[in-house]
Amino acid sequence: MTAGGTGQPSAGPGEKGAVRTALAGLTTRGRSFLAAGVAAAVCAYVLGQPDLLRVGMLLAVLPLICAAVVYRTRYRVAGSRRLTPARVPSGSEARVHLRMDNVSRLPTGLLMLQDRVPYVLGPRPRFVLDRVEAGGRREVSYRVRSDLRGRYPLGPLQLRLSDPFGMCELTRSFSTFDTLTVIPRVEPLPPIRLTGEAKGYGDGRQRSLALAGEDDVIPRGYRYGDDLRRVHWRSTARYGELMVRREEQPQRARCTVLLDTRGLAYEGAGPDSSFEWAVSAAASVLVHMLERGFSVRLLTDTGTSVPGEGVEGFAGAGDGSADAAGLMMDTLAVVDHSDGSGLSHAYDVLRRGNEGLLVAILGDIDEEQAAVAAKMRRRSGGAVAFLLDADAWGRASRREPGHDRGHAPGGAQGGAPGGAPGSVPGREPNGTPDPMNRQEERLRMLREAGWTALSVPRGVALGELWRQADRERAGAVTAGGIRDGEAGS
């Protein structure tokens, strides 16, 4: 990514505007000299001291001359910016390279280079460049880092001109800028066999045709250049025109990753929040399935997908898989909470076709949304759900001094191990369902519908959950989810 521009000062809007701009560029030293000169001139006039008047005139005229010289300076300077890399995972660093070229025939004076960056990327970088000879260039670089996803503009590049005495300083800006994309962290996942994979890439049921560069699977009309040995005479006699036999082809498995972005389904904010974990998990699954050759589609609870995505999703294990991953990472870099309250829009999209493998990253869901998610299983060859434990993530986000006052370990209130007198097992003393039992109930509903459903407590690694999903699918593990104690083991 290169942004170029000429740093030649432009003429002001008019004579009055030019004078105002030049005087506004006076530094503290220049203003002090001007004030001292005026004061000396007034004193010389009152006292009748011509020598003092000459000194005052010198002090007052010097900053004005410097301001005029700096304002009239016509440096022709070209600037460029290069990001390496332009797309960086959150928490990682990117390096920004700046290059200044003096394209004029005259050398420059002292230059101060400053690049404008958002505060989340770090302090604003400033560089002092010595005299640049005619046709010469200078290169500098700085690093940026962000723990938050997003697209951050870099620029415009600013060039500050000053005189040798430090009396005046003016700023000239380039017109171009670049964009740094901070994408979610991607965790490598172990290869496992999941239901919904197609033959040639796995052993599941739901498959879609890989049309690019491969033969078709049903007879078609003859085209110039087709091998005559592939003519299908029975179809030719039936349709009355020359028909060519289409060979059977390997078929590509399909995978849809459903990301729940509802704002009411998550608590907390920041890089360690539950929503950021969900976005990172979706990114990891997408990249993993692309690398395994799946046609991958990203879907949110609002029913939207990645712009430019085809009906079958992005094809993996090809030349365009890196570009497909980049497009999906760019979408996840800016994804935010939605205002929706349910998963019905996503279900409407899923029920239109057979989606192969379905991987859902879900926040806190109630009984109604669990029923909607259960119906999604009917339209997929296999389904894996990662259900974030809202109670565990909420306790961590609310863990502040004095917040848990009056709460005993295990969630019992008052200090008695069994809770308040007369409390009902499985419920809190105020009559609301126990959060742990509520989570287990949602997992049970999904499992009964055919999902491989796992609970996601705070601090658990997605790779371990991915292996757990394989074990549960194979029937080796029948208990649901991973408890908080297992996450630390």
Side-chain angles (χ1 to χ4, degrees):
M1 296 179 65
T2 301
T6 301
Q8 180 178 352
S10 58
E15 184 177 353
K16 294 183 179 179
V19 174
R20 188 181 302 111
T21 301
L23 293 179
L26 290 176
T27 62
T28 303
R29 179 184 299 176
R31 296 175 187 273
S32 301
F33 267 66
L34 181 60
V38 173
V42 173
C43 293
Y45 177 77
V46 173
L47 300 176
Q49 298 290 333
D51 295 336
L52 181 59
L53 179 60
R54 285 190 287 269
V55 173
M57 293 295 295
L58 176 62
L59 294 177
V61 170
L62 181 60
L64 297 179
I65 294 177
C66 292
V69 170
V70 172
Y71 183 79
R72 293 296 180 181
T73 299
R74 290 295 185 265
Y75 292 146
R76 295 186 60 205
V77 181
S80 63
R81 182 189 299 104
R82 178 169 54 90
L83 305 179
T84 53
R87 186 185 292 118
V88 62
S90 59
S92 300
E93 289 185 344
R95 183 169 288 276
V96 183
H97 300 268
L98 302 178
R99 173 176 167 176
M100 301 298 299
D101 294 275
N102 183 12
V103 296
S104 65
R105 298 180 179 179
L106 298 175
T108 69
L110 189 66
L111 302 178
M112 179 178 291
L113 192 63
Q114 176 177 279
D115 205 6
R116 299 186 63 180
V117 300
Y119 72 94
V120 296
L121 298 182
R124 180 172 298 182
R126 293 181 175 89
F127 305 94
V128 177
L129 303 181
D130 293 334
R131 178 178 178 274
V132 182
E133 64 279 4
R137 69 182 181 186
R138 298 289 186 271
E139 294 184 3
V140 293
S141 65
Y142 64 93
R143 294 178 296 179
V144 291
R145 179 181 183 274
S146 175
D147 293 327
L148 301 176
R149 298 175 294 108
R151 293 172 61 87
Y152 301 100
L154 299 179
L157 194 62
Q158 294 180 334
L159 192 64
R160 308 181 75 177
L161 308 176
S162 62
D163 64 281
F165 301 101
M167 298 290 181
C168 183
E169 188 177 87
L170 297 179
T171 301
R172 296 289 182 262
S173 297
F174 293 85
S175 58
T176 55
F177 63 92
D178 290 304
T179 302
L180 175 67
T181 304
V182 181
I183 62 176
R185 291 186 293 267
V186 176
E187 179 180 347
L189 300 180
I192 62 176
R193 300 174 67 87
L194 295 172
T195 304
E197 298 180 4
K199 294 180 179 179
Y201 300 91
D203 60 351
R205 299 173 298 167
Q206 312 302 332
R207 297 174 288 178
S208 61
L209 302 181
L211 300 178
E214 297 173 345
D215 292 333
D216 301 322
V217 294
I218 58 177
R220 59 170 175 82
Y222 175 82
R223 299 171 185 169
Y224 178 78
D226 286 339
D227 191 348
L228 293 178
R229 290 176 295 181
R230 295 177 54 191
V231 174
H232 195 266
W233 298 109
R234 182 178 301 177
S235 298
T236 300
R238 178 179 179 182
Y239 293 102
E241 60 176 327
L242 202 60
M243 303 294 291
V244 178
R245 182 175 60 252
R246 300 178 176 181
E247 303 294 342
E248 186 176 358
Q249 62 176 349
Q251 299 177 343
R252 178 174 290 116
R254 290 158 50 179
C255 174
T256 298
V257 178
L258 173 61
L259 175 61
D260 183 7
T261 63
R262 297 171 300 135
L264 54 83
Y266 301 93
E267 290 190 27
D272 296 326
S273 63
S274 57
F275 182 67
E276 292 302 318
W277 190 98
V279 175
S280 177
S284 302
V285 174
L286 287 169
V287 172
H288 176 74
M289 303 311 277
L290 274 175
E291 291 175 349
R292 296 193 61 183
F294 278 68
S295 292
V296 177
R297 180 170 70 160
L298 172 64
L299 186 67
T300 66
D301 59 286
T302 60
T304 59
S305 56
V306 179
E309 190 178 65
V311 178
E312 301 292 335
F314 290 109
D319 295 335
S321 60
D323 296 334
L327 287 175
M328 288 188 287
M329 292 301 104
D330 289 344
T331 301
L332 290 175
V334 296
V335 70
D336 202 355
H337 291 297
S338 68
D339 298 330
S341 59
L343 304 174
S344 57
H345 294 293
Y347 172 69
D348 292 338
V349 175
L350 292 173
R351 69 178 180 179
R352 298 172 189 168
N354 207 317
E355 298 304 322
L357 177 64
L358 176 60
V359 180
I361 316 295
L362 303 175
D364 187 22
I365 58 176
D366 54 19
E367 185 175 354
E368 180 182 356
Q369 302 313 316
V372 174
K375 292 189 294 184
M376 297 178 184
R377 175 63 179 86
R378 305 171 188 172
R379 309 301 301 175
S380 62
V384 181
F386 298 101
L387 184 60
L388 274 73
D389 189 345
D391 181 60
W393 287 89
R395 285 200 310 266
S397 63
R398 296 189 300 266
R399 192 169 296 162
E400 298 176 357
H403 186 89
D404 294 330
R405 190 178 304 161
H407 292 267
Q413 295 184 353
S423 61
V424 180
R427 286 184 172 269
E428 297 288 351
N430 57 6
T432 60
D434 180 57
M436 182 169 294
N437 288 348
R438 183 179 59 191
Q439 178 80 353
E440 293 295 337
E441 177 65 19
R442 306 296 180 260
L443 293 172
R444 183 191 61 80
M445 293 179 62
L446 295 178
R447 288 166 182 157
E448 288 180 353
W451 285 82
T452 301
L454 300 175
S455 180
V456 182
R458 184 180 179 89
V460 68
L462 179 61
E464 178 59 30
L465 289 172
W466 197 248
R467 296 187 186 92
Q468 179 80 2
D470 182 44
R471 291 195 295 265
E472 289 209 1
R473 185 195 64 84
V477 177
T478 58
I482 299 178
R483 307 298 182 214
D484 290 327
E486 294 176 330
S489 61

